[in-house]
Amino acid sequence: MTISRSRRALLAVPALCALAPLAIHGRAFAADAYPRGPVRLIVPYAPGGGTDATARLVAKRLGERMGGTFVVENRAGGNTRIGTQALKQAAPDGYVLGMFNAAGPINQAIDPALPYDVTRDFTPITVIVRSAGGLWVNTSRIPARNFDELVAWLRAHPGTAYASSGVGAANHLSMELFRESLGLDLLHVPFKGSGEAAVAVASGEVPMSVDSFGPMEPHWQAGRVLPVATTGDERYPLMPDVPTFEELGHPELRGTSAWWGIAGPKGLPPEIATRLREEIHAILREPEVVQALLAVGAVPAPIGGEDFQQLLESDLAKWKAVVARGAVTQ
């Protein structure tokens, strides 16, 4: 007996329907079994900064919770460009992830010709932490002990240098806004990450910078540096006596706090992204992790995939406006 093509198609439908739950179960099983091998977590900075410290803490706990190995791989250079490009080129299988921060949208605002788009070429998994920065001065190079004294000293010493963790980094943009707002003459000296920049300021090689609490805290405790303002919307819990820029009469300089998150390549399976997000959010609720993050100047800020995507888009729009009015010089 000859069976028509349409008849064969109809007979195939029940079989396909029976296989569909198996396919869904297979994807769920794959997420449950993940990871089956080492996972590389790219940090686009040199070791020693806040991003690196946060990545190592989260990688360690992910490995312990998920029964795998998460290895931090530092790929410094180009103010996150090298590490971010490596993440874009990775296979979207969950075995290469990357740390993201505000430098991504800033780089794109400064250089639209980048070989990637932070809002389209990656899978945002979750924001991990936020950290307000401080305006720090080397106590042996600059005699100022508060914000007004610093501004007066800088006006009397044009061409004073400041350090950043790289061209286009959040602390670079913060210092450029500071320079523009107060009409100061400052010289930008970029380094490869907050760790190197913090050491440069603490040693007096460069006399000032905006940076997060973590890299600067030991130098502050040793009396080598002093914070005279913070960039957050509120006073930072670990620096309660240091006023915000808004309190000092400069609201235009607030809100440039740093954030750090984790993303994957574009096309990362949703079930793996969801599993990672859930595990990271659980880690951020652990009291010992919260304390460890506070020790490096970071406050847990678990923001999921869609909200993370919106953060990338809003940051890009904000920094494009800053660049468009000429507030950034390299």
Side-chain angles (χ1 to χ4, degrees):
M1 180 177 66
T2 302
I3 301 176
S4 69
R5 183 178 299 175
S6 59
R7 173 67 173 164
R8 286 197 299 270
L10 287 172
L11 290 172
V13 169
L16 291 173
C17 290
L19 289 173
L22 295 177
I24 294 171
H25 175 75
R27 290 197 299 271
F29 176 78
D32 290 340
Y34 169 84
R36 295 184 177 181
V39 179
R40 293 159 51 209
L41 177 56
I42 295 174
V43 174
Y45 292 107
T51 306
D52 180 69
T54 301
R56 292 180 186 279
L57 175 62
V58 172
K60 179 176 182 293
R61 289 297 294 125
L62 279 173
E64 292 167 350
R65 288 180 61 92
M66 299 179 72
T69 302
F70 287 73
V71 181
V72 170
E73 180 179 313
N74 295 92
R75 298 286 294 272
N79 186 37
T80 77
R81 290 172 175 85
I82 291 175
T84 304
Q85 177 68 1
L87 178 62
K88 179 192 175 184
Q89 294 171 339
D93 56 9
Y95 290 91
V96 180
L97 307 172
M99 292 293 287
F100 258 40
N101 67 5
I106 291 171
N107 285 338
Q108 192 167 326
I110 294 174
D111 182 8
L114 283 176
Y116 55 80
D117 185 320
V118 295
T119 65
R120 293 201 300 263
D121 292 335
F122 303 93
T123 302
I125 296 172
T126 184
V127 174
I128 303 172
V129 295
R130 288 184 180 271
S131 174
L135 176 55
W136 304 85
V137 299
N138 177 280
T139 53
S140 64
R141 290 282 308 275
I142 297 178
R145 294 299 175 264
N146 59 52
F147 181 80
D148 290 338
E149 289 181 3
L150 172 62
V151 173
W153 190 90
L154 291 174
R155 293 195 191 285
H157 297 80
T160 297
Y162 71 86
S164 82
S165 54
V167 174
N171 55 0
H172 173 206
L173 270 287
S174 296
M175 284 300 301
E176 285 297 296
L177 288 174
F178 172 66
R179 175 192 62 79
E180 178 199 42
S181 177
L182 291 154
L184 299 171
D185 179 3
L186 302 176
L187 174 66
H188 178 214
V189 181
F191 290 85
K192 290 184 178 180
S194 290
E196 291 186 11
V199 170
V201 175
S203 68
E205 177 186 352
V206 183
M208 63 184 295
S209 73
V210 164
D211 211 333
S212 55
F213 177 84
M216 287 297 194
E217 192 270 342
H219 307 300
W220 181 27
Q221 295 299 331
R224 291 187 287 267
V225 297
L226 180 74
V228 298
T230 62
T231 62
D233 294 332
E234 300 176 351
R235 292 195 181 199
Y236 193 55
L238 299 179
M239 299 187 292
D241 297 327
V242 182
T244 66
F245 276 119
E246 183 166 22
E247 290 179 83
L248 294 166
H250 294 280
E252 73 280 5
L253 300 177
R254 70 172 186 170
T256 53
S257 58
W259 55 262
W260 307 316
I262 288 183
K266 183 178 181 179
L268 183 70
E271 57 272 16
I272 290 180
T274 298
R275 173 97 191 277
L276 285 165
R277 185 179 306 118
E278 290 173 349
E279 293 288 349
I280 292 169
H281 288 189
I283 289 168
L284 295 177
R285 292 192 293 269
E286 297 174 359
E288 61 273 21
V289 170
V290 173
Q291 291 303 313
L293 290 171
L294 285 173
V296 297
V299 178
I303 300 175
E306 291 184 3
D307 291 335
F308 190 0
Q309 177 68 32
Q310 291 175 6
L311 174 63
L312 290 169
E313 293 172 358
S314 63
D315 264 19
L316 179 58
K318 174 177 68 178
W319 294 121
K320 277 184 175 179
V322 171
V323 171
R325 69 172 190 263
V328 179
T329 60
Q330 298 187 19

PDB file of all heavy atoms in Angstrom, residues 252-287:
ATOM      1  N   GLU A 252      26.810  67.182  39.671  1.00  0.00           N
ATOM      2  CA  GLU A 252      27.134  66.672  38.339  1.00  0.00           C
ATOM      3  C   GLU A 252      28.203  65.576  38.388  1.00  0.00           C
ATOM      4  O   GLU A 252      28.384  64.832  37.416  1.00  0.00           O
ATOM      5  CB  GLU A 252      27.600  67.817  37.431  1.00  0.00           C
ATOM      6  CG  GLU A 252      29.000  68.361  37.714  1.00  0.00           C
ATOM      7  CD  GLU A 252      29.059  69.336  38.890  1.00  0.00           C
ATOM      8  OE1 GLU A 252      28.025  69.536  39.565  1.00  0.00           O
ATOM      9  OE2 GLU A 252      30.141  69.906  39.118  1.00  0.00           O
ATOM     10  N   LEU A 253      28.915  65.473  39.520  1.00  0.00           N
ATOM     11  CA  LEU A 253      29.983  64.485  39.643  1.00  0.00           C
ATOM     12  C   LEU A 253      29.542  63.221  40.374  1.00  0.00           C
ATOM     13  O   LEU A 253      30.330  62.295  40.531  1.00  0.00           O
ATOM     14  CB  LEU A 253      31.182  65.097  40.383  1.00  0.00           C
ATOM     15  CG  LEU A 253      31.811  66.321  39.722  1.00  0.00           C
ATOM     16  CD1 LEU A 253      32.933  66.868  40.586  1.00  0.00           C
ATOM     17  CD2 LEU A 253      32.327  65.979  38.330  1.00  0.00           C
ATOM     18  N   ARG A 254      28.295  63.168  40.808  1.00  0.00           N
ATOM     19  CA  ARG A 254      27.830  61.993  41.537  1.00  0.00           C
ATOM     20  C   ARG A 254      27.412  60.900  40.556  1.00  0.00           C
ATOM     21  O   ARG A 254      27.313  61.115  39.351  1.00  0.00           O
ATOM     22  CB  ARG A 254      26.636  62.345  42.417  1.00  0.00           C
ATOM     23  CG  ARG A 254      25.381  62.638  41.632  1.00  0.00           C
ATOM     24  CD  ARG A 254      24.164  62.788  42.523  1.00  0.00           C
ATOM     25  NE  ARG A 254      22.967  62.926  41.709  1.00  0.00           N
ATOM     26  CZ  ARG A 254      21.745  62.876  42.186  1.00  0.00           C
ATOM     27  NH1 ARG A 254      21.547  62.694  43.466  1.00  0.00           N
ATOM     28  NH2 ARG A 254      20.702  63.003  41.379  1.00  0.00           N
ATOM     29  N   GLY A 255      27.154  59.733  41.108  1.00  0.00           N
ATOM     30  CA  GLY A 255      26.579  58.655  40.306  1.00  0.00           C
ATOM     31  C   GLY A 255      27.534  57.991  39.344  1.00  0.00           C
ATOM     32  O   GLY A 255      27.111  57.272  38.445  1.00  0.00           O
ATOM     33  N   THR A 256      28.846  58.214  39.500  1.00  0.00           N
ATOM     34  CA  THR A 256      29.804  57.526  38.641  1.00  0.00           C
ATOM     35  C   THR A 256      30.386  56.323  39.376  1.00  0.00           C
ATOM     36  O   THR A 256      31.556  55.997  39.231  1.00  0.00           O
ATOM     37  CB  THR A 256      30.929  58.484  38.198  1.00  0.00           C
ATOM     38  OG1 THR A 256      31.503  59.103  39.358  1.00  0.00           O
ATOM     39  CG2 THR A 256      30.404  59.540  37.272  1.00  0.00           C
ATOM     40  N   SER A 257      29.554  55.678  40.199  1.00  0.00           N
ATOM     41  CA  SER A 257      30.013  54.508  40.939  1.00  0.00           C
ATOM     42  C   SER A 257      30.257  53.347  39.977  1.00  0.00           C
ATOM     43  O   SER A 257      29.619  53.226  38.935  1.00  0.00           O
ATOM     44  CB  SER A 257      28.991  54.106  41.999  1.00  0.00           C
ATOM     45  OG  SER A 257      27.749  53.834  41.408  1.00  0.00           O
ATOM     46  N   ALA A 258      31.196  52.500  40.350  1.00  0.00           N
ATOM     47  CA  ALA A 258      31.557  51.356  39.518  1.00  0.00           C
ATOM     48  C   ALA A 258      30.582  50.205  39.743  1.00  0.00           C
ATOM     49  O   ALA A 258      29.975  50.083  40.804  1.00  0.00           O
ATOM     50  CB  ALA A 258      32.978  50.915  39.855  1.00  0.00           C
ATOM     51  N   TRP A 259      30.423  49.372  38.736  1.00  0.00           N
ATOM     52  CA  TRP A 259      29.689  48.121  38.879  1.00  0.00           C
ATOM     53  C   TRP A 259      30.462  47.032  38.155  1.00  0.00           C
ATOM     54  O   TRP A 259      31.178  47.295  37.196  1.00  0.00           O
ATOM     55  CB  TRP A 259      28.261  48.221  38.334  1.00  0.00           C
ATOM     56  CG  TRP A 259      28.143  48.678  36.901  1.00  0.00           C
ATOM     57  CD1 TRP A 259      27.880  49.935  36.451  1.00  0.00           C
ATOM     58  CD2 TRP A 259      28.298  47.866  35.720  1.00  0.00           C
ATOM     59  NE1 TRP A 259      27.860  49.971  35.077  1.00  0.00           N
ATOM     60  CE2 TRP A 259      28.107  48.717  34.599  1.00  0.00           C
ATOM     61  CE3 TRP A 259      28.573  46.521  35.502  1.00  0.00           C
ATOM     62  CZ2 TRP A 259      28.194  48.259  33.284  1.00  0.00           C
ATOM     63  CZ3 TRP A 259      28.665  46.058  34.193  1.00  0.00           C
ATOM     64  CH2 TRP A 259      28.463  46.927  33.103  1.00  0.00           C
ATOM     65  N   TRP A 260      30.323  45.808  38.634  1.00  0.00           N
ATOM     66  CA  TRP A 260      30.987  44.663  38.030  1.00  0.00           C
ATOM     67  C   TRP A 260      29.977  43.549  37.863  1.00  0.00           C
ATOM     68  O   TRP A 260      29.168  43.279  38.754  1.00  0.00           O
ATOM     69  CB  TRP A 260      32.150  44.173  38.914  1.00  0.00           C
ATOM     70  CG  TRP A 260      33.123  45.249  39.277  1.00  0.00           C
ATOM     71  CD1 TRP A 260      33.643  46.203  38.450  1.00  0.00           C
ATOM     72  CD2 TRP A 260      33.677  45.514  40.565  1.00  0.00           C
ATOM     73  NE1 TRP A 260      34.483  47.033  39.135  1.00  0.00           N
ATOM     74  CE2 TRP A 260      34.533  46.642  40.443  1.00  0.00           C
ATOM     75  CE3 TRP A 260      33.545  44.908  41.811  1.00  0.00           C
ATOM     76  CZ2 TRP A 260      35.241  47.169  41.510  1.00  0.00           C
ATOM     77  CZ3 TRP A 260      34.253  45.437  42.880  1.00  0.00           C
ATOM     78  CH2 TRP A 260      35.093  46.547  42.726  1.00  0.00           C
ATOM     79  N   GLY A 261      30.019  42.905  36.710  1.00  0.00           N
ATOM     80  CA  GLY A 261      29.098  41.813  36.441  1.00  0.00           C
ATOM     81  C   GLY A 261      29.767  40.716  35.642  1.00  0.00           C
ATOM     82  O   GLY A 261      30.956  40.791  35.314  1.00  0.00           O
ATOM     83  N   ILE A 262      28.990  39.679  35.327  1.00  0.00           N
ATOM     84  CA  ILE A 262      29.481  38.548  34.537  1.00  0.00           C
ATOM     85  C   ILE A 262      28.595  38.385  33.310  1.00  0.00           C
ATOM     86  O   ILE A 262      27.368  38.466  33.397  1.00  0.00           O
ATOM     87  CB  ILE A 262      29.490  37.249  35.364  1.00  0.00           C
ATOM     88  CG1 ILE A 262      30.617  37.297  36.403  1.00  0.00           C
ATOM     89  CG2 ILE A 262      29.662  36.026  34.472  1.00  0.00           C
ATOM     90  CD1 ILE A 262      30.752  36.031  37.226  1.00  0.00           C
ATOM     91  N   ALA A 263      29.235  38.166  32.165  1.00  0.00           N
ATOM     92  CA  ALA A 263      28.522  37.947  30.907  1.00  0.00           C
ATOM     93  C   ALA A 263      29.139  36.760  30.186  1.00  0.00           C
ATOM     94  O   ALA A 263      30.244  36.310  30.514  1.00  0.00           O
ATOM     95  CB  ALA A 263      28.578  39.195  30.030  1.00  0.00           C
ATOM     96  N   GLY A 264      28.414  36.269  29.198  1.00  0.00           N
ATOM     97  CA  GLY A 264      28.921  35.210  28.340  1.00  0.00           C
ATOM     98  C   GLY A 264      28.908  35.672  26.899  1.00  0.00           C
ATOM     99  O   GLY A 264      28.415  36.760  26.583  1.00  0.00           O
ATOM    100  N   PRO A 265      29.434  34.866  25.992  1.00  0.00           N
ATOM    101  CA  PRO A 265      29.345  35.214  24.573  1.00  0.00           C
ATOM    102  C   PRO A 265      27.887  35.241  24.115  1.00  0.00           C
ATOM    103  O   PRO A 265      27.008  34.659  24.753  1.00  0.00           O
ATOM    104  CB  PRO A 265      30.112  34.076  23.879  1.00  0.00           C
ATOM    105  CG  PRO A 265      30.905  33.409  24.958  1.00  0.00           C
ATOM    106  CD  PRO A 265      30.126  33.586  26.218  1.00  0.00           C
ATOM    107  N   LYS A 266      27.642  35.905  23.018  1.00  0.00           N
ATOM    108  CA  LYS A 266      26.302  35.909  22.438  1.00  0.00           C
ATOM    109  C   LYS A 266      25.894  34.480  22.092  1.00  0.00           C
ATOM    110  O   LYS A 266      26.694  33.701  21.575  1.00  0.00           O
ATOM    111  CB  LYS A 266      26.295  36.772  21.175  1.00  0.00           C
ATOM    112  CG  LYS A 266      24.931  36.907  20.514  1.00  0.00           C
ATOM    113  CD  LYS A 266      25.009  37.819  19.304  1.00  0.00           C
ATOM    114  CE  LYS A 266      23.646  37.979  18.647  1.00  0.00           C
ATOM    115  NZ  LYS A 266      23.707  38.892  17.479  1.00  0.00           N
ATOM    116  N   GLY A 267      24.651  34.138  22.402  1.00  0.00           N
ATOM    117  CA  GLY A 267      24.166  32.799  22.103  1.00  0.00           C
ATOM    118  C   GLY A 267      24.355  31.803  23.225  1.00  0.00           C
ATOM    119  O   GLY A 267      24.100  30.603  23.034  1.00  0.00           O
ATOM    120  N   LEU A 268      24.783  32.259  24.399  1.00  0.00           N
ATOM    121  CA  LEU A 268      24.904  31.361  25.543  1.00  0.00           C
ATOM    122  C   LEU A 268      23.537  30.734  25.827  1.00  0.00           C
ATOM    123  O   LEU A 268      22.531  31.444  25.905  1.00  0.00           O
ATOM    124  CB  LEU A 268      25.378  32.142  26.766  1.00  0.00           C
ATOM    125  CG  LEU A 268      25.632  31.348  28.049  1.00  0.00           C
ATOM    126  CD1 LEU A 268      26.859  30.464  27.886  1.00  0.00           C
ATOM    127  CD2 LEU A 268      25.802  32.287  29.236  1.00  0.00           C
ATOM    128  N   PRO A 269      23.450  29.411  25.962  1.00  0.00           N
ATOM    129  CA  PRO A 269      22.145  28.783  26.205  1.00  0.00           C
ATOM    130  C   PRO A 269      21.447  29.394  27.419  1.00  0.00           C
ATOM    131  O   PRO A 269      22.061  29.544  28.478  1.00  0.00           O
ATOM    132  CB  PRO A 269      22.516  27.314  26.452  1.00  0.00           C
ATOM    133  CG  PRO A 269      23.786  27.115  25.689  1.00  0.00           C
ATOM    134  CD  PRO A 269      24.529  28.412  25.823  1.00  0.00           C
ATOM    135  N   PRO A 270      20.168  29.739  27.281  1.00  0.00           N
ATOM    136  CA  PRO A 270      19.452  30.394  28.393  1.00  0.00           C
ATOM    137  C   PRO A 270      19.467  29.581  29.680  1.00  0.00           C
ATOM    138  O   PRO A 270      19.521  30.146  30.770  1.00  0.00           O
ATOM    139  CB  PRO A 270      18.030  30.552  27.848  1.00  0.00           C
ATOM    140  CG  PRO A 270      18.168  30.507  26.372  1.00  0.00           C
ATOM    141  CD  PRO A 270      19.331  29.619  26.080  1.00  0.00           C
ATOM    142  N   GLU A 271      19.415  28.243  29.553  1.00  0.00           N
ATOM    143  CA  GLU A 271      19.382  27.431  30.763  1.00  0.00           C
ATOM    144  C   GLU A 271      20.700  27.512  31.537  1.00  0.00           C
ATOM    145  O   GLU A 271      20.712  27.467  32.774  1.00  0.00           O
ATOM    146  CB  GLU A 271      19.044  25.975  30.431  1.00  0.00           C
ATOM    147  CG  GLU A 271      19.975  25.289  29.450  1.00  0.00           C
ATOM    148  CD  GLU A 271      19.578  25.491  27.989  1.00  0.00           C
ATOM    149  OE1 GLU A 271      18.772  26.406  27.706  1.00  0.00           O
ATOM    150  OE2 GLU A 271      20.080  24.721  27.149  1.00  0.00           O
ATOM    151  N   ILE A 272      21.823  27.672  30.822  1.00  0.00           N
ATOM    152  CA  ILE A 272      23.110  27.825  31.505  1.00  0.00           C
ATOM    153  C   ILE A 272      23.208  29.213  32.123  1.00  0.00           C
ATOM    154  O   ILE A 272      23.664  29.375  33.262  1.00  0.00           O
ATOM    155  CB  ILE A 272      24.273  27.560  30.531  1.00  0.00           C
ATOM    156  CG1 ILE A 272      24.313  26.071  30.172  1.00  0.00           C
ATOM    157  CG2 ILE A 272      25.606  27.999  31.138  1.00  0.00           C
ATOM    158  CD1 ILE A 272      25.420  25.688  29.212  1.00  0.00           C
ATOM    159  N   ALA A 273      22.771  30.240  31.387  1.00  0.00           N
ATOM    160  CA  ALA A 273      22.780  31.601  31.935  1.00  0.00           C
ATOM    161  C   ALA A 273      21.920  31.675  33.198  1.00  0.00           C
ATOM    162  O   ALA A 273      22.312  32.293  34.201  1.00  0.00           O
ATOM    163  CB  ALA A 273      22.280  32.593  30.889  1.00  0.00           C
ATOM    164  N   THR A 274      20.752  31.036  33.158  1.00  0.00           N
ATOM    165  CA  THR A 274      19.858  31.045  34.321  1.00  0.00           C
ATOM    166  C   THR A 274      20.488  30.325  35.502  1.00  0.00           C
ATOM    167  O   THR A 274      20.435  30.801  36.643  1.00  0.00           O
ATOM    168  CB  THR A 274      18.511  30.392  33.961  1.00  0.00           C
ATOM    169  OG1 THR A 274      17.892  31.155  32.923  1.00  0.00           O
ATOM    170  CG2 THR A 274      17.590  30.341  35.165  1.00  0.00           C
ATOM    171  N   ARG A 275      21.103  29.175  35.237  1.00  0.00           N
ATOM    172  CA  ARG A 275      21.747  28.420  36.324  1.00  0.00           C
ATOM    173  C   ARG A 275      22.856  29.251  36.968  1.00  0.00           C
ATOM    174  O   ARG A 275      22.963  29.325  38.199  1.00  0.00           O
ATOM    175  CB  ARG A 275      22.324  27.123  35.749  1.00  0.00           C
ATOM    176  CG  ARG A 275      23.173  26.329  36.752  1.00  0.00           C
ATOM    177  CD  ARG A 275      22.392  25.234  37.427  1.00  0.00           C
ATOM    178  NE  ARG A 275      23.142  24.671  38.551  1.00  0.00           N
ATOM    179  CZ  ARG A 275      24.078  23.723  38.428  1.00  0.00           C
ATOM    180  NH1 ARG A 275      24.372  23.236  37.230  1.00  0.00           N
ATOM    181  NH2 ARG A 275      24.694  23.265  39.498  1.00  0.00           N
ATOM    182  N   LEU A 276      23.689  29.883  36.159  1.00  0.00           N
ATOM    183  CA  LEU A 276      24.771  30.708  36.693  1.00  0.00           C
ATOM    184  C   LEU A 276      24.211  31.883  37.498  1.00  0.00           C
ATOM    185  O   LEU A 276      24.702  32.204  38.586  1.00  0.00           O
ATOM    186  CB  LEU A 276      25.648  31.224  35.550  1.00  0.00           C
ATOM    187  CG  LEU A 276      26.592  30.199  34.919  1.00  0.00           C
ATOM    188  CD1 LEU A 276      27.134  30.719  33.592  1.00  0.00           C
ATOM    189  CD2 LEU A 276      27.750  29.874  35.864  1.00  0.00           C
ATOM    190  N   ARG A 277      23.171  32.521  36.956  1.00  0.00           N
ATOM    191  CA  ARG A 277      22.574  33.674  37.647  1.00  0.00           C
ATOM    192  C   ARG A 277      22.036  33.263  39.017  1.00  0.00           C
ATOM    193  O   ARG A 277      22.268  33.944  40.023  1.00  0.00           O
ATOM    194  CB  ARG A 277      21.464  34.261  36.785  1.00  0.00           C
ATOM    195  CG  ARG A 277      20.837  35.541  37.335  1.00  0.00           C
ATOM    196  CD  ARG A 277      19.756  36.056  36.397  1.00  0.00           C
ATOM    197  NE  ARG A 277      20.271  36.213  35.054  1.00  0.00           N
ATOM    198  CZ  ARG A 277      19.826  35.545  33.989  1.00  0.00           C
ATOM    199  NH1 ARG A 277      18.836  34.670  34.112  1.00  0.00           N
ATOM    200  NH2 ARG A 277      20.352  35.753  32.800  1.00  0.00           N
ATOM    201  N   GLU A 278      21.331  32.146  39.061  1.00  0.00           N
ATOM    202  CA  GLU A 278      20.762  31.683  40.329  1.00  0.00           C
ATOM    203  C   GLU A 278      21.857  31.347  41.336  1.00  0.00           C
ATOM    204  O   GLU A 278      21.742  31.668  42.528  1.00  0.00           O
ATOM    205  CB  GLU A 278      19.869  30.473  40.078  1.00  0.00           C
ATOM    206  CG  GLU A 278      18.582  30.821  39.329  1.00  0.00           C
ATOM    207  CD  GLU A 278      17.784  29.587  38.932  1.00  0.00           C
ATOM    208  OE1 GLU A 278      18.332  28.460  39.048  1.00  0.00           O
ATOM    209  OE2 GLU A 278      16.621  29.745  38.502  1.00  0.00           O
ATOM    210  N   GLU A 279      22.918  30.704  40.868  1.00  0.00           N
ATOM    211  CA  GLU A 279      24.015  30.348  41.770  1.00  0.00           C
ATOM    212  C   GLU A 279      24.722  31.597  42.299  1.00  0.00           C
ATOM    213  O   GLU A 279      25.045  31.696  43.488  1.00  0.00           O
ATOM    214  CB  GLU A 279      25.020  29.439  41.049  1.00  0.00           C
ATOM    215  CG  GLU A 279      24.488  28.068  40.690  1.00  0.00           C
ATOM    216  CD  GLU A 279      24.304  27.164  41.906  1.00  0.00           C
ATOM    217  OE1 GLU A 279      24.777  27.518  42.999  1.00  0.00           O
ATOM    218  OE2 GLU A 279      23.680  26.099  41.752  1.00  0.00           O
ATOM    219  N   ILE A 280      24.967  32.564  41.420  1.00  0.00           N
ATOM    220  CA  ILE A 280      25.661  33.786  41.841  1.00  0.00           C
ATOM    221  C   ILE A 280      24.806  34.575  42.823  1.00  0.00           C
ATOM    222  O   ILE A 280      25.301  35.091  43.833  1.00  0.00           O
ATOM    223  CB  ILE A 280      26.045  34.634  40.615  1.00  0.00           C
ATOM    224  CG1 ILE A 280      27.117  33.911  39.793  1.00  0.00           C
ATOM    225  CG2 ILE A 280      26.558  36.015  41.045  1.00  0.00           C
ATOM    226  CD1 ILE A 280      27.383  34.523  38.437  1.00  0.00           C
ATOM    227  N   HIS A 281      23.511  34.665  42.560  1.00  0.00           N
ATOM    228  CA  HIS A 281      22.638  35.398  43.480  1.00  0.00           C
ATOM    229  C   HIS A 281      22.595  34.717  44.847  1.00  0.00           C
ATOM    230  O   HIS A 281      22.539  35.397  45.884  1.00  0.00           O
ATOM    231  CB  HIS A 281      21.235  35.518  42.888  1.00  0.00           C
ATOM    232  CG  HIS A 281      21.163  36.480  41.745  1.00  0.00           C
ATOM    233  ND1 HIS A 281      19.974  36.877  41.176  1.00  0.00           N
ATOM    234  CD2 HIS A 281      22.132  37.139  41.057  1.00  0.00           C
ATOM    235  CE1 HIS A 281      20.222  37.722  40.193  1.00  0.00           C
ATOM    236  NE2 HIS A 281      21.523  37.891  40.100  1.00  0.00           N
ATOM    237  N   ALA A 282      22.635  33.386  44.858  1.00  0.00           N
ATOM    238  CA  ALA A 282      22.686  32.669  46.136  1.00  0.00           C
ATOM    239  C   ALA A 282      24.000  32.954  46.860  1.00  0.00           C
ATOM    240  O   ALA A 282      24.025  33.150  48.084  1.00  0.00           O
ATOM    241  CB  ALA A 282      22.521  31.168  45.900  1.00  0.00           C
ATOM    242  N   ILE A 283      25.092  33.002  46.110  1.00  0.00           N
ATOM    243  CA  ILE A 283      26.405  33.306  46.700  1.00  0.00           C
ATOM    244  C   ILE A 283      26.397  34.694  47.333  1.00  0.00           C
ATOM    245  O   ILE A 283      26.944  34.906  48.423  1.00  0.00           O
ATOM    246  CB  ILE A 283      27.503  33.203  45.619  1.00  0.00           C
ATOM    247  CG1 ILE A 283      27.727  31.736  45.234  1.00  0.00           C
ATOM    248  CG2 ILE A 283      28.809  33.841  46.085  1.00  0.00           C
ATOM    249  CD1 ILE A 283      28.571  31.548  43.991  1.00  0.00           C
ATOM    250  N   LEU A 284      25.750  35.647  46.668  1.00  0.00           N
ATOM    251  CA  LEU A 284      25.738  37.026  47.161  1.00  0.00           C
ATOM    252  C   LEU A 284      24.886  37.203  48.415  1.00  0.00           C
ATOM    253  O   LEU A 284      24.912  38.274  49.028  1.00  0.00           O
ATOM    254  CB  LEU A 284      25.248  37.969  46.056  1.00  0.00           C
ATOM    255  CG  LEU A 284      26.158  38.072  44.830  1.00  0.00           C
ATOM    256  CD1 LEU A 284      25.528  38.971  43.775  1.00  0.00           C
ATOM    257  CD2 LEU A 284      27.539  38.592  45.216  1.00  0.00           C
ATOM    258  N   ARG A 285      24.138  36.164  48.786  1.00  0.00           N
ATOM    259  CA  ARG A 285      23.373  36.213  50.039  1.00  0.00           C
ATOM    260  C   ARG A 285      24.131  35.588  51.207  1.00  0.00           C
ATOM    261  O   ARG A 285      23.665  35.647  52.346  1.00  0.00           O
ATOM    262  CB  ARG A 285      22.027  35.498  49.856  1.00  0.00           C
ATOM    263  CG  ARG A 285      21.066  36.219  48.916  1.00  0.00           C
ATOM    264  CD  ARG A 285      19.668  35.630  48.997  1.00  0.00           C
ATOM    265  NE  ARG A 285      19.612  34.267  48.490  1.00  0.00           N
ATOM    266  CZ  ARG A 285      19.337  33.950  47.222  1.00  0.00           C
ATOM    267  NH1 ARG A 285      19.103  34.904  46.332  1.00  0.00           N
ATOM    268  NH2 ARG A 285      19.291  32.681  46.848  1.00  0.00           N
ATOM    269  N   GLU A 286      25.284  35.001  50.942  1.00  0.00           N
ATOM    270  CA  GLU A 286      26.055  34.354  52.002  1.00  0.00           C
ATOM    271  C   GLU A 286      26.760  35.417  52.846  1.00  0.00           C
ATOM    272  O   GLU A 286      27.493  36.251  52.310  1.00  0.00           O
ATOM    273  CB  GLU A 286      27.076  33.396  51.398  1.00  0.00           C
ATOM    274  CG  GLU A 286      26.447  32.240  50.627  1.00  0.00           C
ATOM    275  CD  GLU A 286      27.482  31.373  49.921  1.00  0.00           C
ATOM    276  OE1 GLU A 286      28.691  31.692  50.027  1.00  0.00           O
ATOM    277  OE2 GLU A 286      27.085  30.395  49.265  1.00  0.00           O
ATOM    278  N   PRO A 287      26.553  35.419  54.167  1.00  0.00           N
ATOM    279  CA  PRO A 287      27.130  36.476  55.017  1.00  0.00           C
ATOM    280  C   PRO A 287      28.636  36.620  54.882  1.00  0.00           C
ATOM    281  O   PRO A 287      29.158  37.742  54.851  1.00  0.00           O
ATOM    282  CB  PRO A 287      26.740  36.030  56.433  1.00  0.00           C
ATOM    283  CG  PRO A 287      25.517  35.196  56.245  1.00  0.00           C
ATOM    284  CD  PRO A 287      25.709  34.488  54.940  1.00  0.00           C
TER     285      PRO A 287
END
